[in-house]
Amino acid sequence: MKKQFALTLLLVPALAACGGGAPTAPTTSSVSINSASQLEINAPTKATAAAKDANGNTLNGKTITWTSSDPTIVAVAADGALTAKKLSASPVQITATVDGKSVSANVTTYGLEVTGGTYNNTISKLVGTHFLIRFREADQTGPDAAAPVTIQGPAAFNGGQAFTGTQTLPLKTNVTEVRFGGAYYSAVTPVDGEYTASTVVNGKTFTSKFSIDADMLLPAMQNPVVNLTASGYTLTGTAGTGVTYVQALVFHTGTSTTTTLSLLPVSSLPASREFTSQQMPSGTYNTYVRSYNVDLNNATGLTPAQSNVAMVAAGTVTF
């Protein structure tokens, strides 16, 4: 027994001298990523990534850090879960990083996008609700036929009733604008909270979620003047903070016909436009100006978090 004990004591320093400590962790040489290239709005999916050593072997137990180049369009969670929120104007880059090594994948989005906001009607002194509806199929086109959209808001919105069939999907890549609270009808008051929109295209249901801040109002144009003639018009005035586009409307009092004129960037004011197709009939017109924080003509561009509109009277013109 004494000899065995002595032998054991001699082996301990021998093992230490041979470097019997913890093995060195394998070094990450590269990272691979697997992600769908097209993401449907409000239909979560998941991206995966793997760390590789110099020989291409997968290294388990590595911490992966996920990032998105635009989380407002596509959000990525710590586990790689992807959520498309809005239609992308260009590819969004999803990146996985391990031990300083990164790899990225480009993704685009499709589906139903509805953006809500307020309609500040200074004529009726009421605040209505505004919806901006866009739709894109996976092939980046729009539907071939109109499809009704249902919008359900918080319990206090519209008496808890959903809007169905009063607005339809835009054809191809157009934008559909829906205003509840115009100059000649009572407003549907916006309510703070979350909203859900849905539609069915070719038997498939698409949904979109968005929120509205009822206190976020766009200011109406100050000192607006619409100088209307038979052959064209000039629009002058001062746009409020946050306004990016303005649009004049003229109402013929004799025929009760409203004509919506060109959507103009604020940077072009004062602006003059000539009518190219036909002249305006003579008579007396009530004129109005709408202000927007979004370009309604850009169906492929990015929309703001909330689409707000303001309306103001701009006087009467007779010619």
Side-chain angles (χ1 to χ4, degrees), residues 128-291:
T129 308
H130 179 253
F131 297 115
L132 201 62
I133 301 172
R134 301 200 303 166
F135 183 85
R136 188 185 301 161
E137 295 192 85
D139 62 1
Q140 303 301 297
T141 67
D144 294 321
V149 178
T150 298
I151 299 176
Q152 181 71 60
F157 178 72
N158 194 39
Q161 300 298 310
F163 289 108
T164 305
T166 54
Q167 53 278 339
T168 57
L169 287 179
L171 298 180
K172 296 305 178 185
T173 56
N174 295 324
V175 175
T176 293
E177 179 195 12
V178 181
R179 292 178 299 275
F180 295 103
Y184 303 108
Y185 45 91
S186 60
V188 178
T189 305
V191 175
D192 287 339
E194 299 295 322
Y195 293 70
T196 300
S198 62
T199 190
V200 178
V201 177
N202 297 327
K204 177 177 173 56
T205 299
F206 295 88
T207 62
S208 176
K209 293 183 180 295
F210 58 96
S211 60
I212 291 179
D213 180 350
D215 294 326
M216 186 182 294
L217 302 182
L218 199 66
M221 175 177 274
Q222 297 295 311
N223 304 314
V225 175
V226 180
N227 186 10
L228 181 68
T229 67
S231 59
Y233 71 99
T234 299
L235 173 61
T236 62
T238 303
T241 302
V243 175
T244 54
Y245 284 82
V246 293
Q247 186 175 48
L249 300 88
V250 295
F251 176 78
H252 193 290
T253 59
T255 61
S256 297
T257 302
T258 299
T259 303
T260 302
L261 304 180
S262 300
L263 187 71
L264 304 172
V266 169
S267 58
S268 69
L269 296 176
S272 296
R273 295 291 186 271
E274 297 293 325
F275 300 131
T276 57
S277 57
Q278 62 182 18
Q279 291 194 334
M280 296 290 287
S282 61
T284 298
Y285 291 81
N286 295 331
T287 65
Y288 310 91
V289 177
R290 286 200 191 111
S291 298

Side-chain angles (χ1 to χ4, degrees), residues 19-85:
T24 303
T27 301
T28 300
S29 180
S30 63
V31 182
S32 64
I33 189 171
N34 183 24
S35 171
S37 60
Q38 292 183 313
L39 307 179
E40 180 185 331
I41 291 176
N42 203 38
T45 185
K46 194 170 185 178
T48 59
K52 306 282 187 178
D53 64 15
N55 296 320
N57 299 313
T58 299
L59 303 176
N60 297 319
K62 290 289 187 177
T63 299
I64 302 172
T65 301
W66 292 94
T67 56
S68 168
S69 62
D70 194 338
T72 64
I73 307 299
V74 178
V76 58
D79 62 351
L82 302 175
T83 302
K85 298 180 177 182

Side-chain angles (χ1 to χ4, degrees), residues 66-122:
W66 292 94
T67 56
S68 168
S69 62
D70 194 338
T72 64
I73 307 299
V74 178
V76 58
D79 62 351
L82 302 175
T83 302
K85 298 180 177 182
K86 300 174 77 69
L87 293 176
S88 54
S90 58
V92 176
Q93 199 171 67
I94 304 301
T95 301
T97 302
V98 181
D99 295 338
K101 303 290 185 180
S102 298
V103 64
S104 299
N106 289 331
V107 299
T108 57
T109 64
Y110 69 97
L112 175 67
E113 177 194 296
V114 179
T115 306
T118 57
Y119 185 22
N120 180 19
N121 188 344
T122 64

